[in-house]
Amino acid sequence: MRTQVAIVGAGPAGLMLGRLLEQAGVDAVIIERRSPDYVLGRIRAGVLEQGTMDLLDAAGVGRRMHAEGLIHGGIELAFDGDRLNINFEKLIGKHVMVYGQTEVTRDLMDARRDSGTISIYQAEDVTIHDVDGATPRITYRKHGVTHALTCDVIAGCDGFHGVCRASVPEQAVTTFERVYPFGWLGVLVDRPPVADELIYAHHARGFALCSMRSSTRSRYYVQVPSNERVENWSDDRFWDELRTRLNPATAESLEAGPSIEKSIAPLRSFVAEPLRFGSLFLAGDAAHIVPPTGAKGLNLAMSDVKALAEALIERFVEGSAAGVDSYSTKVLQRIWKAERFSWWMTSLLHTFPETGRFGRRIQRAEFDYLAGSQSAQGSLAENYVGLP
Ligand code: APR
Ligand code: PHB
């Protein structure tokens, strides 16, 4: 088989790239190691920036988001029970949309299926070849048979643990990484959210987040040490810990219930540079990871693929290599700004075993500064809703 763009990975990045290329008449095949159901079973974050909403609309897959998503004009921060509303609408006249990444993936998957373009799921041993040479191609195994897909360009949209970045010779890539000494224990529950806005709470026992998927389904998180095991957390233990970390009035109105999903995600900041190696281009989690505190992971993946799609369309439709040549430099600027913001939100809101009492006083001062400064709040707001 032959295609112009071979996309590895059918997460939101790979699916969106496929969609944008298909709209422009550029031929692309997606190769994914898991099954569609497995991909849809992963519970991920769910806050969309305006740029992501616009991209879903431009891709013709925004209908359900507008019907079912929840528009949020702000967030609440809390520090040892003291509350601070950050009102995006008032500060900068913008908002975000709460709509689960799983739903974005489903909408893109449905559109791809309806378009009849080719996606190969459950592909084993996906291997990339000759990205520096004249015949880039991908081989994979399906039902015991090995297949080859030749192409002009490979798009590595295969997440942090994917094969694409791992195939690049070590000396060709520089990585920047910070692994935090904690993770987030998350619970999904069919109960109404505790508050209208998302609540990001700092507490001496650790960070907590109250989020939601709809008016009847909530998502809650508590910070736990990196070596914590989900088996140690009964639902009761989770709800007790969450209530302890919230302000008393919020804790009082929290509706607990049986968890329908419970898992621990590690927190990491990571960037690989550059994002292009010959005919291989990285996008999304394959290229970078942010801790989820700033809700940037999905949005960053979407802004990468928007830029990559434009560059590839320029190359295949207009015959100009300018876009592909500047892709890496261009998107890394935005990536590092989102890395900075996600690191900053993480630093403000979590407890860090190594920084001690001094560190907590600095965090408190940061919170008090935010509470008293419209410019500081404006800075948070413009980063949270998404930089241009
Ligand atoms: N071969 C084929 N597919 C692979 C391989 C491989 N060797 N390795 C991984 N994949 C697939 C995964 O199964 C997954 O479906 O690549 C896909 C990558 O999808 P995501 O991990 O969702 O990454 P991305 O599309 O970049 O989306 C970024 O996901 O993790 C969140 O916070 C992140 O919200 C952000 C978003
Ligand atoms: C979520 O709803 O899962 C969520 C929301 C906001 C975040 C992270 C996760 O910052």
Side-chain angles (χ1 to χ4, degrees):
M1 191 164 34
R2 190 187 151 76
T3 186
Q4 288 176 301
V5 183
I7 301 173
V8 185
L15 287 166
M16 178 56 89
L17 180 63
R19 178 72 178 173
L20 296 172
L21 293 176
E22 171 209 333
Q23 283 182 317
V26 176
D27 190 36
V29 170
I30 298 185
I31 301 185
E32 161 65 49
R33 141 169 101 157
R34 305 286 189 179
S35 68
D37 283 346
Y38 184 98
V39 171
L40 287 175
R42 292 191 291 232
I43 304 297
R44 298 268 178 79
V47 178
L48 311 186
E49 296 174 355
Q50 185 65 51
T52 302
M53 295 183 241
D54 293 344
L55 192 63
L56 289 167
D57 283 335
V61 292
R63 195 193 49 78
R64 208 160 62 91
M65 167 191 72
H66 289 292
E68 297 174 19
L70 308 170
I71 289 180
H72 278 231
I75 54 170
E76 183 174 310
L77 299 187
F79 202 102
D80 292 343
D82 296 335
R83 305 165 68 164
L84 169 62
N85 184 262
I86 307 288
N87 189 323
F88 306 150
E89 305 268 18
K90 260 203 215 137
L91 289 160
I92 54 167
K94 291 188 178 161
H95 56 257
V96 292
M97 174 84 84
V98 170
Y99 187 64
Q101 177 174 323
T102 311
E103 306 311 317
V104 172
T105 308
R106 190 189 305 278
D107 295 339
L108 285 163
M109 245 185 208
D110 288 351
R112 187 161 180 92
R113 194 199 45 233
D114 294 346
S115 74
T117 41
I118 302 174
S119 313
I120 296 148
Y121 282 90
Q122 293 171 295
E124 295 165 54
D125 289 340
V126 175
T127 310
I128 67 172
H129 308 266
D130 203 27
V131 296
D132 279 323
T135 52
R137 66 195 183 283
I138 295 183
T139 55
Y140 62 93
R141 208 154 37 80
K142 176 123 192 190
H143 304 311
V145 181
T146 299
H147 302 264
L149 173 65
T150 54
C151 56
D152 299 307
V153 162
I154 297 172
C157 300
D158 51 348
F160 183 67
H161 299 286
V163 65
C164 290
R165 194 186 69 249
S167 307
V168 175
E170 221 172 285
Q171 66 278 14
V173 52
T174 308
T175 59
F176 303 83
E177 182 167 41
R178 167 136 194 216
V179 178
Y180 300 87
F182 43 73
W184 283 13
L185 168 65
V187 156
L188 192 65
V189 62
D190 275 326
R191 290 288 185 277
V194 66
D196 291 340
E197 301 295 15
L198 271 63
I199 302 174
Y200 290 82
H202 175 102
H203 184 273
R205 292 177 62 83
F207 169 74
L209 171 61
C210 305
S211 181
M212 64 194 75
R213 290 292 175 274
S214 69
S215 59
T216 56
R217 180 171 283 190
S218 305
R219 180 74 165 157
Y220 296 104
Y221 299 93
V222 294
Q223 173 187 350
V224 293
S226 321
N227 57 359
E228 187 57 273
R229 294 162 59 90
V230 73
E231 297 76 35
N232 294 336
W233 287 82
S234 64
D235 286 358
D236 284 345
R237 182 177 175 201
F238 179 86
W239 297 120
D240 285 347
E241 188 61 41
L242 178 62
R243 283 200 184 93
T244 305
R245 297 184 188 188
L246 299 176
N247 113 323
T250 312
E252 181 77 24
S253 49
L254 178 76
E255 278 192 58
S259 61
I260 50 176
E261 197 265 358
K262 196 193 283 162
S263 55
I264 295 180
L267 261 70
R268 180 194 303 272
S269 297
F270 173 88
V271 181
E273 292 184 4
L275 301 184
R276 178 195 182 172
F277 311 89
S279 46
L280 169 66
F281 295 81
L282 301 179
D285 277 16
H288 44 70
I289 295 288
V290 285
T293 328
K296 288 281 160 267
L298 172 62
N299 294 296
L300 213 44
M302 290 293 117
S303 59
D304 289 355
V305 295
K306 178 173 187 285
L308 184 54
E310 284 167 2
L312 294 174
I313 291 164
E314 215 176 292
R315 151 123 192 239
F316 290 110
V317 179
E318 293 154 32
S320 158
V324 290
D325 289 343
S326 60
Y327 167 72
S328 181
T329 314
K330 179 177 159 187
V331 295
L332 276 165
Q333 282 189 15
R334 191 170 196 280
I335 290 167
W336 275 110
K337 287 180 190 165
E339 289 284 343
R340 184 207 69 83
F341 176 66
S342 305
W343 160 85
W344 177 79
M345 283 280 280
T346 302
S347 307
L348 170 65
L349 293 166
H350 291 74
T351 53
F352 289 78
E354 73 278 13
T355 60
R357 296 195 312 198
F358 179 81
R360 288 209 73 225
R361 279 284 198 272
I362 293 291
Q363 288 171 312
R364 179 73 218 195
E366 181 94 48
F367 179 82
D368 290 342
Y369 170 60
L370 264 174
S373 164
Q374 291 294 297
S375 352
Q377 289 184 29
S379 165
L380 194 167
E382 72 179 358
N383 278 280
Y384 195 95
V385 306
L387 296 172

